[in-house]
Amino acid sequence: MGEGAVRERLGDRPVRTAGWLAGGALLAAGAAWTVRGAWEIRLAVAGEPASGPPDQGEGVHRPLNGLEDSYHLVTSLGGGVAFVCALLFLAWLWRVRDNARVLSGRAPKYLGIWVYLGWIVPVVNLWFPRGIVADAFRATAPERKLPVSVNVWWALWLIGMFGGVGLVSRDSTDEIIARAYEEVWPLLGADAAVVGAAVAGALAVRAVTAAQVERIRGVRGPGAAAESVGVTGG
């Protein structure tokens, strides 16, 4: 692909704005999980009511008390934040992957469908998402080492994802409340992994985005690069 064609293709990709949105959403998700952990501590300190856990088995659920009801609200809000975060992160990931293809002049290592399915297909979800981020960075800045934040993000993501009580859990919210009453530390450990993954993910987004913005500026020139990444100043 000629230099002029590269410049034209990059003009439609405001990667810097996408990076700001994705990084901010990750930090918001980390804050939401911090609040969730605080509520789990409140549940543990309060102790289980004499009436027993909310889910009493055989389809019987007792009425929730005020603290338990507020935990349901906290988890629901956290789930909403996580959903928005996922959308913004995927939009950023698609953009940096596409930019890397234009900048390097080679096809990405992973097909575009894996930007979405790579998170949910068993086995491949252990490394494909990290691989897409790493491939985009290496195609953008082949002379640089992969940022440490990418590996930290992915390691903590896997802990939070598959720890059984983190982002993905087969237990209902009422069952998690019962866990908080019985033994809160595994819950808090999973929450800490999610928060750490969110912070490391924001740093990874920042590092990959910065490398790509720098490369785009080298291709297009400072003024054109600012336009291509959706900003008006340096």
Side-chain angles (χ1 to χ4, degrees), residues 118-203:
W119 300 88
I120 58 177
V121 175
V123 182
V124 302
N125 62 358
L126 296 175
W127 75 88
F128 270 32
R130 175 203 171 276
I132 294 170
V133 174
D135 184 57
F137 180 83
R138 289 167 178 150
T140 298
E143 73 286 355
R144 299 185 187 180
K145 292 183 178 180
L146 185 69
V148 174
S149 55
V150 173
N151 290 327
V152 174
W153 156 68
W154 190 244
L156 291 173
W157 166 264
L158 292 178
I159 293 171
M161 184 77 170
F162 299 107
V165 291
L167 283 173
V168 175
S169 175
R170 295 179 181 178
D171 292 345
S172 67
T173 303
D174 285 347
E175 290 171 329
I176 293 176
I177 289 172
R179 287 192 180 195
Y181 286 140
E182 295 169 1
E183 189 176 9
V184 73
W185 295 111
L187 289 173
L188 297 179
D191 292 338
V194 173
V195 173
V199 174
L203 294 175

Side-chain angles (χ1 to χ4, degrees), residues 90 93-94 97-98 101 107-119 128 132:
L90 289 175
L93 186 56
W94 184 272
R97 174 187 176 276
D98 208 20
R101 177 175 58 84
K109 183 177 180 180
Y110 300 89
L111 295 176
I113 191 66
W114 292 116
V115 171
Y116 307 105
L117 294 185
W119 300 88
F128 270 32
I132 294 170

Side-chain angles (χ1 to χ4, degrees), residues 213-228:
V213 168
E214 182 179 343
R215 179 72 185 279
I216 291 172
R217 283 176 174 163
V219 173
R220 292 178 57 83
E227 178 183 354
S228 75

Side-chain angles (χ1 to χ4, degrees), residues 196-210:
V199 174
L203 294 175
V205 166
R206 180 180 179 182
V208 175
T209 301

Side-chain angles (χ1 to χ4, degrees), residues 54-116:
D55 184 353
Q56 302 194 339
E58 300 181 356
V60 177
H61 290 74
R62 65 163 172 78
L64 300 177
N65 61 35
L67 182 57
E68 293 165 347
D69 200 41
S70 65
Y71 183 74
H72 272 266
L73 178 60
V74 165
T75 56
S76 296
L77 291 175
V81 172
F83 178 73
V84 173
C85 177
L87 294 179
L88 292 173
F89 185 86
L90 289 175
W92 170 82
L93 186 56
W94 184 272
R95 194 172 299 279
V96 294
R97 174 187 176 276
D98 208 20
N99 275 356
R101 177 175 58 84
V102 176
L103 288 166
S104 65
R106 65 170 177 81
K109 183 177 180 180
Y110 300 89
L111 295 176
I113 191 66
W114 292 116
V115 171
Y116 307 105

